[in-house]
Each structure stands twice: as structure tokens, then as C-alpha cells.
Amino acid sequence: MPTCLNWFVIIFMVSLLPPSTQKWLQVTDLYKEVYHHLARYVPKIYCLGPNLNPQSEDLLAQMLLQAPLEWYLCGEDPSTGLAKLEQNNQPSQLCGHVFKVGEPTYSCRECAADPTCVLCMQCFLGSVHKEHRYRMTTSGGGGFCDCGDTEAWKKGPYCQKHEPNISDSCQEDPLAHLSTDMIARCYNVFSVVLKYAVDMLTWDKEDELPPGLEPPDRSDTYYCMLFNDEVHTYEQVIYTLQKAVNCTQKEAVSFATTVDRDGRKSVRFGDFAFCELAKSVIVRNTSRQSKPLRVQVMHSSVVAHQCFALKALHWLGHVIGYSDALRRILCQVGLERGPEGENSSLVDTLMLCDSKMWKGARNVYHQLFMSSLLMDLKYKKLFAIQFAKNYRRLQTDFMEDDHERVVSVTSLSVQLFTVPTMARMLITEENLMTTIIRTFVDHLRHRDLQGRFQFERYTAQQAFKFRRVQSLIGDLKYVLISRPTEWSDQLREKFLEGLDTFLELLKCMQGMDPVVRQVGQHIEMEPEWEAAFTLQMKLTHIISMIQEWCATDERVLIEAYKKCLTALTHCHSGFADGEQPITLSMCGHSVDTIRYCVSQEKVSIHLPVSRLLAGLHVLLSKMEVAYRFPEQLPLSELSPPMLIEHPLRCLVLCAQVHAGMWRRNGFSLVNQIYYYHNVKCRVEMFDKDLIMLQAGASMMDPNHFLMIVLSRFELYHIFSSADCRKRYNRENANKDVVQQNNTLTEEMLHLIMMVVGERFEAGIGQVEGCDEIKREILHQLCIRPMAHSELVKALPENENKETGMERVIDCVASFKKPGVTGRGLYELRPECAKQFNLYFHHYSRADQSKAEEAQRKLKRQNGEDTALPPPVLPPFCPLFASLVNILQCDVLLGMLGAVLQWAVEPSAGHWSESMLQRVLHLIGMALLEEQQQLENSSEDNDVYFNFTLKMSRPGEAPSNTASVLALLENLQNAPHLEVHEDMIRWLLKTVAGIKTMRERSASTSTVTASGSRGQEETACDKDKAERKRKAEIARLRREKVMAQMSEMQRHFINENKELFQQSLEELDASTSTSLEHSPASSDAALACVGPRRSRPREKRQVVTCILCQEEQEIRADGKAMVLAAFVQRSTVMSKNRTRPPHDPKRYDPLFMHPDLSFGTHTGSCGHIMHSHCWQRYFEAVQAKEQRRQQRLRVHTSYDVGNGEFLCPLCECLSNTVIPLLPRTMGSSRYPQPGLGQWLKTSGQQIKAMHSAHRKLQPVSEYWNAEHSVKGTHMFPSNPYSSTIKEMLTTFGTATYKVGLKVHPNEQDPRIPIMCWSSCAYTIQSIERLLVDEKKPLFGSLPCRQDDCLSSLARFGSACWTAACQPTVQGHFIRLLAALIPDPQVEASPCILDVDMLHLLVSVVLSYGSVHSQDSSGLSVDAVQLHLFHLITVAHMVQILLTSEEVTMEQESGEAERGEEEGACRLYNTLRTHVGSSLPEVGSGWHLWRCVKTGILPYLRGAALFFHHLHGVPAPPELHGQYNWEVLCGYLSLPSNLLQLFHGQQELLEPLLHGNLSFSPLVSSDCFPRESNSLIDLPDDYSALINQASSFTCPKSGGDKSRAPTLCLVCGSMLCSQSYCCQTELEGEDVGACTAHTFACGAGVGIFLRVRESQVLFLAGKTKGCFYAPPYLDDYGETDQGLRRGNPLHLCHERYRKIQKLWRQHSITEEIGHAQEANQTLVGIDWQHL
């Protein structure tokens, strides 16, 4: 901070500001003057000590440095001058809003020119695009909004805010509004300030300043400045800083966070030697594994000027915001060429020094570029030219730099290259396309001898560089992303020049990574294959886009085709080594080819040049260039065998891999084959290879083509032999070889099908562009119904990340919405099933078998035959028309005949059913082709395709083989081919139909069509009759089997008569007992409390242990049976989350406050074990855990150290066991005393206990004493067996330990209190749950909750036997004193500070300890009833004291008049005791309503409690809708509750007076308490993203949070998963979410990670899981990670499901199940989130 003297100097200087500006206006060398001013003041403001003080620095910089510049700029007071500028300024039509990290961005899938065109939220909401199909993502920061850019949008470029006015359509020069004097001043000041900022930010000397900025007095103060890099981790930096500068971990974390955010941070301040010492330690500590951290010792004045340089850039950005004219002047200054000539402008200097600057400086000047150069179209163009000129050097710097691309100036390419006019201008003027490709190729230097890329043995450094090089492909994609509509000669020339360069790149890829089949031994080292495929994937869209560019201009297409053909010929000339010519002959045809075996020679899967040529060849057909300009094309020079050679080898390689011939080549080859067919690569790999085969085959004799195919598949020797049809009868070949040959034959037949049948690409077949995508979707849905995301993944994306699916999906599929779980599914429309092709070329083998099974099943369901004939195909385009001749050529017929012959005479394993199935499919394709031609032809001579003739012609002499038709007829009834019977029948029927068609068209007498139809109908009838016969046989067989089964059942029952008789008797008994207890058969109504309570007949309760399967009766003196349980702290019902946590050592939990700020909940899975079985099981779990921890240091889903285990049966998380106890017996019928007598008797008992306790225990603090006196005459005999006593202690201690977060202590007097409290809290929780789900009070609870409540209530009534009796009696005395004032009990709570249900449960359950010594003859039931009545009255008083005033009056019926009067009387009685603090209320109706609604939850809870304590069945009326009278009757209460008070008013009023006179009546609680809910979420997810993007980290000085996370319980936004917000909890550093769970949810938390659209469940420090978010897109799917970008909307059902889990206290259980199902979740450090 400046000293006092400095302050005076500063104030004096500020007063002289205008005069100093006047001086500047008169000087000739402003540059020198300003530098002198800065040299003097900057070091006095900035960097005066180790800690920066941004407030005072900013204030002083504004006053001393920026204000003079603004005065000079405006020539007057800046506040006036800048306001005038702003007023005269025409607002820009470009939005230019720069995105913050994590801010939502929107792109319209229909209107955006490319996916990089985005809108900010404000512009999007005001645009037409919100009604379109849009994509929503979160920004990585740095880009800006494209609203107003007409080139970015096909339509709707403006939002409502940026819509241009019609009046200012004539765009005038913004400088016209400024005076020449003002322009000159602006020019001067911008020149000086920008020059200063550039000088300082690019300054690389650490100890001196540029000329003119040397400080007048130089001090010996330095900073040790640490710089960011992307090599070292946070942990390394933190550890190093702690050693180097001796700081705490917190300070080191703060340093590391700032370095990561800003790019640099001073870690030490002092003299040179002091800072140099820290530098040497940092360098030494970080140079061991990698290059050291970059550290510089910089003089404080250098750092000060660099700080102000950043401020100056900020200031420039701020000032130009006032006026477009100022923006233009700044652009002009920045781009003005310096004295050094080319690339010497200030903008060039900044760009070229980018990699030398730190992160913060880069960000600031990039922002300035965006708000100046990129917001002005004229200067954007000039900047783009400079950027393109420097492109190669910028990219080279980026390769050497280790910062991410997002902070590199090269990332600005997306803002320049995606503008279509600018991209084309840069291609023509700066030859940008060639520059990018050359730069790319230059950086990939690893080549083999043939000049191909070689990625073997890549080092980590090379791999890093390779990743960086890929960004160049992204730039090339930006340049090509929008296709030109008009071509100039210059554009053609430069594009073709770029294509030449691109072909050079592809030539380096053609044939790279070749493989040779391993024979004998397995490959030793897996070769590198990923880099080549990464390159292929990145280039896939580039290759597609180049083809699309070629398709827009015929001249370009022709030239590109020629160039590509030349390149391919050049590649082939290098591959011809060692290939010998041979001649192949078969079926009377012969062809010359070369001898080549894929299984012996080198073969490569990378053939990009061939594939590009294939793509261009299709375009020749599609654009009709091949027909209109054949003379310009080198089609006659093409050598079809050369074209097909390498693609065919590639396909043969795939077939051989499938056949298992390349197993010894390891996984690298398997992975290559996988990606070759994968949707990411197949468009430019597998598909293009197939097209190339089609192109070659269409120009060849089909017989020649098939012989070459046979030769490459290495099957020629099998099919060419004269007796090939009988080959396997004599041949006894190796089984593996036979199996391989079978698979190869199947693959070859499949290839022929694909060559002839794949016609759905426009240009090959006569189809539309959308037919291909329709067919893809159809075949995916033939496998099974699929979700939208699955379909999108299965379809290839174009460069705009679009699949084209939305345009056609409704034609082929119908959408089925999801339920509360699952996803929405698309199902295939039934009418589309006939287009199914079993041999669809994109099916994997698994897909094919699934699709076949699904389609056959569908046909069976529809009662059709199960044949899957080939679909009708569209006709070929003329260029490919000759391909159909393959189906009728001699070689194919010979092959088909051979396979059919093998099937007729099967011999073990020498043919396969798949082979036959493919042959039948091919015959079907040929027949359909002929049928199509016949149907479409006008005259018979048009039909050149006559397959039926050739298939019915037998082989020539001497072999005289059977014809294909004859073989089919033979196979029709072959028993071993039953599966194919339907298909063969379909083929024969089609042959008959075709013959009929031919006869009809040939015969002179016109046969009517009805004849042929009749023939078809008779064939059809025969089919139906045959199917009917088979169905009848199947029915008879089923009936016979059923008869046999029922006979066996009868036989079994006769043999085991006694057993069945016994079970029937038991069944009768149980029904009779249930009838006995039904209210219909009983005289009195059911009551669950009081002397009149119903006493159900005692039944033996027998349960089975899940571990040993033994049955055991539950008895007080028997073996203990226990229920697995989970006890947890809870705030689910809390009405006050701000209450500070209690000190567990001193906290007295006897009275629960009505705000239920936290409680203890007990849940159970309901599974029962013997206590000794459970102990053995738990000991085994402990032992296993100890062994495992020594082996693997990872967490499990349960913490054994905390007593946790998984239920042995259902694996539900548990941490203790509840003992099962028999029902308490009702007391004998003593004379029942009235309330007065009981009050008297209990008063005497309490006095007696007080005196007894004083004798035993003189210490006033009753639980701090040692409980030394035991076993005296006071203690009755304990009714429970030793094992039950042990389990009583176990559960009590566990509840105490968890509920109070303390170490177990069996002697602590608070144990019974915690058990009673847990019982009451669990009852309250379940009662609220039933209300929220609108379920009846009884009959709707699952067994597990029912059993849990019974066990809890009965345990509570017995737990005093395991505790010290005087202690429990002491609890009873204090509890009763809250109702009946007792002078000997101090500090009784106010009546408003006690939750009455907790009081009821505690006082009833603790009474057992008093009653055990009671000799007065009082029955337990009578005492319980009196206590219940007293507490009910107390609760009514509570409700009336807290009721809100209502002026509304309502007329009520006669029935409720008494209740209302009673309510008024009680209220007025309270007013007399309390005084004026209670307002006067005239409405008895309102008071009675308050009482009735307020007391209902308490009554329902009490009913649940007494029901489970005494086991009295509930009346049937309570199993349905709520009934007030029945509920009161069940609880032995009058339906007019106020009678309880007025009937005993003379007794109760003194108690009221005693309770109310001492207590201050302050309460925020009102009754009934509303159920807590999770927070309300917005319907549109982008509102949440927007909220999160404006959330800053609370501890990082305004830094954006990287993982903003929303607590769904309280709505707090947290900065998760970051070092900055870690806090210490119980001696361990934890993240913000974990810390919050302990404050808000007692250790359990539910969060929404906003950027990931993911729900996070946390429990404790080591447990957590991710859960599906409640936000769904229009297709009923979640989008975790926001990868798909579809708009998301809140699904209320799913959110309710999450809320239900929370209210049920099932979050921890859900986490446990998730972690057991997915072990990777266990390894996550949840505490750091």
C-alpha cells in the first residue's frame, strides 16, 4: 500500500490531471510524454509488496493512469465526452457476447450454416430458432454469439434485439460522426497505449524495462514468479511450493489455483537472493520426472508494468465499447504495418509472440481481438489475411507450446475460417487449403522407405505432438464446411491445387501399417495401430467434404477424378513387386490375373486414394457427368482388375480374420477390422471398398470378376475342379481347414450379394438421398426397438454432426414414450418389415443373428411362414447396370449348383447351413430381378435377364450335373433342411410365377391374369393346409403332455396325503382366527390403548433364520432372533437446517424440539437371523475385510469398521440388528382409577423415587455418576434370555453411537432415550410418507416396514431392562414433569419446545421401569391412556397457541357446534393464563379446524405406535380413506377431543397454569407441519445452466466454478470437485459437497451436477453414486454429460421418484446397491466432490 506521504502526492497529482492533459495536447512527442508518466507512476501503484491489493490499485490506476488518457481522448471531462460518443453511436447488429466457461450456447440444427454457429441465451430466446430443432451445449469459454451474422444462418440471423432498423439500411462510415481533431487524438492515444501493452506483454527481460520506462528510483525488490504448464499436476505443484517457500498447504493450494487460472503467480517477494533461492528449490524438485516448472525472478517494476499493460488492454476494450468509430480506429492502429515491413504490425507481434506469453495475458488480448477486429467486417477480413499469412508459424509455435488450444491464438481460426466468403477468399488469395495441408504433412515426419506414414513405437512426446497436429484437420474442416454455390476460375485452380496436396497426404496413408499373417507362433509385440485409425477418423469428414465440393462443379469433378486416378496408378506402380501373372479357367471362361495370397503376403487396411476415387466415380454417375461428357473422362484407360485389387484384398482380409486364420496376429488386427466396419469409419472405408468392387465389376465380364474373387478368397481350387460337386466324398481334409473354407465360402457369397444388392447410394441405384438413411434405420429397428440415442450412434454423422434421421424416422418407425424408468423407444412400422434384408451389409454377425431371430418370431406371431426372402431392390443407374449380370453368369451358377449338391448329399461338416442359406438368398435375388424386369418391360425382348432358363438347364456332358432348379426340388423335402423348407418353397413358387408371366406374354392367345392368380391361390391354399396340419399335430402333442403332468400331480398328492391334510388344517385355523378378530364378529369396537383395548388371541410367532434355515419361536426366554437394520441420522423432516450441531458429549436428547432439526431413523430390509448366526456372519465379514485390506487398499460399499455389513440375502446395507420380541401381555383387569386418583398416586410414586434416587445417587448431574449400585432389591428379575439381553445392548448402543456420532458406551444413560427417539422419528417419517403418497394408514405398508416398526416399538418397551433402572426412572420423572409440573425437576422445557409424539413414545416406553416396582395395583393400560390423554391435551394447547389468525367466518353444521364451542372455551382459558400475547378470535369454526388438522399427524402416529406395540389389528375403515371417528375410537378418544379438557377441567387447568406461567411463548412452528420437498427445479434445463454459469467460486475471488453443483435439498449452489473449496471435516480435507451433506443432510446429500446433467448421491465420506437426472429430452432420454445437446425438460415423475427415495431414507441403500453392481464406483474419492 502507498505510504501517507505517497497518498498526499497522489491527491496533489489528481488535482493537476486536466493541466497535465493540457500539456499532452500541446506536445509533439506524445509517446515519450506518456511513457515518462507511466514510468513515474506505475511502480508506485502496482507491486508494492507480497500481497496485491486490487481495490486500491484499481482506484489509483483509474485516477492516475486511465483518467489522463480519457481526458486526452475526449478533449473534455470523460464522463461527458464518452456519453456523447455513446449517444451518437449506431449499435452494432452483431451481438458479439463473449461466452464464459459453462455458459449455455444454442445452435439451430435447421438454420445454422455449421455447428460452430451459436447464440447466447438472450439472443436465442428472442429468435425464431427456439421453435426449431436446436442443440444446447455448454461453452468451453472464449467463443462469441453469432447473432446478427448473416453468413452464420440460413434464415433468422437476427434476434428481436439485434434486428436492423430499416432507416439505417444505408451503412455509413461510423467515423463520419467524429471531428478530425478527435480522430487524430484517438489515433495517437491508441497507438501509444497499444504499443506500450504489446511491448510489455512480449518483453522477455526479467531485470530491466524497455527504453523510456526506466523508473526514476530503482529498488532491490523482486518477485519469484511461477508459471503454469500442462505437464505438472496440482499435487506436484502444491508439494513443491510447501518445500520451496515454506507455506501452509492452504496457501500452496491457493497459489496453485491462481497459477492454473491466470497462468502465473508470485510465490515470494523480497531481494534477489531470497527469490533466487526459492527458484532453485522449485526447479530442483520438479525436474526429476519431466521438464521443471517454469520460474522466473522478475524485478517488481517489470511485474508492475506488465500488470498495468493488462489493465491497459482491458481499458481499450472498455473504451471502444462506447463507439464503433473508436473500434475502427483501434483496428486501424493494430493492423498498421510497422517500420520493419511485413508482419510488423502490433497485431502480428502479439500473434507471433503468443506462445511466449502467460495464460492471463493471452486471454486478455484474445478478448480484445474479439471485441475489436472480429466485430468489424472490414478489419476482420484484413485480420484473417494476416492470420493466414502467419498460419504456418503460428501452428509451429503451438506444436512447441504446452498450453491447451483454447488459450492459443490458433483457436481464433474457428471465428475466421467458418465464414464462407472469408474461407473462399483465403483459399483463392492466400492458398489457405494448401497451406493447412502442407503444414499438417510437415509435422508428421515418420515415414517408411516407400514414403508412407509410420506410427510404430511412438514416444509420449510424439503422441502429444500428434494430438496437437490434429487441430490442423479441424481448421481444414472449418474451411471446407460450407460448399460453394458459384465457382470462379481462381477458386477452381486453388481448390484443385489443394486437392493435389491432399492427394499427396493420402498417398502417404495408402498402404500404411501393412500386416503379414503370423504362422506358427503368436506375434510378440502388438503393433501400433491406433494413430493410423485416429488419422483416418479425423480425415473421414474432410474426404466426404472434398467429394461434396467436387459434386457442385462438373469441371472440378472431372479434373479431381483424373488427378485421383493418376495418384492411384502411381501408388499401384509401387506395389507390384513379386506378383506373377496366372490364368484362371472355369465354366468355359478364362481370365488373366496375378498370383497373390492374402494369407501369405503383406496387406494393408488403409487405402484412402482408392476410396476417394470410388466416391468420385459414384459422383460421375450421380451428376450424370459420365453420360454427358464421356469424352473428357479417362474411363477407357481404367483397368478394372487394378481398381478392384486392393479393396478386394482388404475384404478378403476381413473374411480370413472372421474365419480365424489370423488369430496369432493378436488384438491389434481384430481392432482394425472392428473399426473398418464401425460406423465412425465405414463410410470412407468399408462402404467405399464395396463401391470400388461394384465400379470394377460393372466394367468387367462378370465371370472374370467372380474368378478373381474366388482366387483372392483362395477358394478357386475348390470350385474350379471338374468334380467339385463331389469333392468331399473322397477328400478327408483337416477339420480346421474345412471349417475355414466353409467360413470363407460364406463370406464370399455374402460379398457377391453385397456387390449386386447394395444399390441405395444415389448414383449407384436410382434412389433419393434419404432412401439410404431410411434403410439404415429400418435394419437397426429390425434387430429390436431402439432409443433415439442408440439409433443416432448406429448412423454415420456428417460434418455438421447430423445423421439426417429426423427427416425420415416417422416414415419407418413409431415412437413409444417411456415410463418412470427406461427410455422412449422407436418401433418399426409393420408395413416396413417386408424391406428387411437378412444380409444387410452393415450388420455384424451378432446383429444379423438377432435380426433373423426377431423377424422369424414376428412372422410366427402373425401366422406367416418363416421364410425371409430378399427384398425388392431399386434398379441400378446406367453406369452400374451391368452388375445384375453377375446373378446369371455361368461361374455363379456353377458355384450355386455345387453348394446345393453338397447339401443334397451331406457329409460331416463339409458344408454349412449358413452357406446354403446364402445360396438360397442369391437365387431369390436373381428371381426377383427377373420378375422386376418382366413387370417393368413392355415387350418380351426388352428383358435380357433370364435366370429361370439358366437355372433349369442341366450341366453339359460328360458330367451331366443336375440343374439348380432340380436340386432345389430335391431339397424341398429333405428332412435335415426343415429350417429352410419355407424359403425353398418360396423360391419354387416364385419360379412358377415367373414362368407363368413369360408364358402369358409369349402366348398369342391372351391368357387372363386370373388364371395365374388362380394358380398362385391354389399354391397358397396348399401352404395354408400344410400349416394347419402341422398346428393340429402340435396341439395334440401338447394335450398329451398336459394329461401326463396332471396324472403325475395326482399320484404325488396321493402318496403325500398326510402332509397336504396338515397344511389344509393350518390354513383353516388361520382363516378362523382372522375372522375372530374382525370387528364384524366382535361385540365392541377395536381399541389399541387403554383398559378397553382389544386383546388378540396369543399365537405362536415362528420365524425362519435366513442363514441356517432353522425355524424358531419368538419367546422372551428363547434364542434371540434379530432383524437386519440400518440406523442413520436424518434431516428429512427438519424445519430448521440452520441449527448448529450439538456437542455430542454434553447434549441431552430427552426432549425433541418440534422443528425436528435432526433425528435418528431406523430402517430394515425385513430379513431375520439367529443372533449367533448373525454374529458368526459378521465376524467372517470382518476377517475377510482385514485380509482384503492387506491385499487391496480400496473401499468397499460398506464400512466394517463402522459396524456395517450387507444383508446376507438381499445385500441391503445394514449397520446393526434389532432383536425380535414377543408382544407385551395386557395387564389383568384391576379397578381402573380416574385421572385425579392416578395423578395423586403417580405424585406419591415420584416422591418415593426421588428419595430413593437421592440415597443411591447424591450427585445432581445424574448421568455423570458411576452406576456402581446394581442388583439391589430395587431391580426386578429380568424376563429376557442372555442372548436377547445381549442383542438389546447391541441395538441400543448402535442407535446411540450413530444418533449422537459418539464412540459406543454401553453405560451411557442416553442409550434408551436415543432408542425411543428413533422409534418416534421413524413412525413420524412413515406417517408423512403415507400422507404424501395418499395411502391409507394401515394395510399399505410393505412387510419390511411393518416388521421394523413392530420390532422398534417392542424393543423400546424392553430396552429399560438392559439399562440402569434408576436412570430410566429419572428419564420418566423428567418426561412427566413436562406435563405435570414438578418442583424437584429443574429446567423443564416450554410446552412449545417439545414434540408431542416423541414425548408420548418416550413416556409410554419408559413407564415400564416404574411399573415393574409398582405395588399400587395400577394397570399399565390405564396409565398409558391417562398419559396419552394428557399429551393429547398438551398438543391441542400447542396448536392453539401457534394457530394463525384468520378473519374468515364460516357457518357450520349442528354436528360440529359442540367442538367449536369447546375450542373457544379452551382458547379463552389459555388467554387468561397467557395474557394479551394471544389475539382474540371470534371464530370457533377456525379454531376447531386448526385443532383437527393440526392434531391429525400426531393421532395417526400414535395409532401406528400403539398398533405395533400391542399388536391390535386396525379396523377395516382405517385400511381405506381416512375416517376421523374411527381413528378416535381406535385410540380410545372421544371424537370431540375438547371433552378431554373440559371433562377434567378442574384437574387440568392448574397443570396448564403451571406449564404456561414459566415459559416465554415464542415459537416459529405451526401445525400440521408441511412435508419437506426437494427444491423446485425449472422446466427448461438451460435455465439451470445459465444460473450455474453466473455462479462464481466463493473462495477464488470471482473465478468461475468448474463443477457447479446444486443441492436439491436446500437449493445451495456449490463449487464441487476443486481444491479451492475444500474444507477440513473431522481431520480430513473434503470437497464442498461432502462438507455440505454434513451441514444440510446429516451426512446424506442429493446434488445435481449442472454441467454434467447428473444427479449425485452422497452418504458419509466414502459412499456415493451417480443417478439418472430427472431431465429428459423429447425422446424420453437423459443426457448425462450433455453430449447430445437435445433440449432437456423436467420429468416430474422421475423427480418425484428421487424425492420418494429421499423421504424413504433410501439414499444410502441406493448407493450401496449401485456400488455393489458397479465396482468402479467404489474406487472414486467421493469425499473430494
Side-chain angles (χ1 to χ4, degrees), residues 1272 1516 1593:
T1272 66
C1593 168

Side-chain angles (χ1 to χ4, degrees), residues 1096-1161:
R1097 200 178 77 180
E1098 274 310 307
K1099 247 181 23 183
R1100 286 172 69 231
Q1101 197 181 351
V1102 178
V1103 291
T1104 306
C1105 170
I1106 60 168
L1107 288 169
C1108 68
Q1109 298 299 312
E1110 279 184 21
E1111 289 191 343
Q1112 173 78 42
E1113 184 183 353
I1114 295 174
R1115 293 156 54 107
D1117 55 356
K1119 284 185 193 169
M1121 297 299 284
V1122 293
L1123 198 62
F1126 186 72
V1127 180
Q1128 57 185 319
R1129 286 162 59 81
S1130 163
T1131 60
V1132 170
M1133 294 192 291
S1134 171
K1135 292 293 172 192
N1136 181 5
R1137 292 180 195 281
T1138 55
R1139 191 178 287 248
H1142 315 291
D1143 176 4
K1145 288 179 185 163
R1146 297 209 181 91
Y1147 174 54
D1148 172 13
L1150 189 64
F1151 294 101
M1152 171 65 81
H1153 194 279
D1155 65 14
L1156 303 177
S1157 57
F1158 79 88
T1160 312
H1161 181 273

Side-chain angles (χ1 to χ4, degrees), residues 11 256 860 886 924 1070 1282 1288 1316 1329 1432 1685 1713:
I11 291 161
R860 277 195 294 272
I886 292 175
S1070 66
S1282 59
L1288 287 169
W1316 303 329
L1329 204 61
T1432 307
H1713 286 314

Side-chain angles (χ1 to χ4, degrees), residues 377-394:
L377 294 176
K378 175 186 170 186
Y379 289 100
K380 186 175 185 176
K381 182 178 173 182
L382 294 172
F383 173 58
I385 290 169
Q386 288 308 109
F387 189 85
K389 279 188 163 76
N390 291 319
Y391 186 81
R392 201 182 194 109
R393 192 167 149 197
L394 292 176

Side-chain angles (χ1 to χ4, degrees), residues 1438-1456:
Q1438 251 184 350
I1439 293 165
L1440 287 171
L1441 290 175
T1442 57
S1443 63
E1444 292 173 358
E1445 191 174 350
V1446 171
T1447 53
M1448 186 180 75
E1449 186 68 53
Q1450 183 154 336
E1451 200 58 44
S1452 60
E1454 203 60 44
E1456 293 193 346

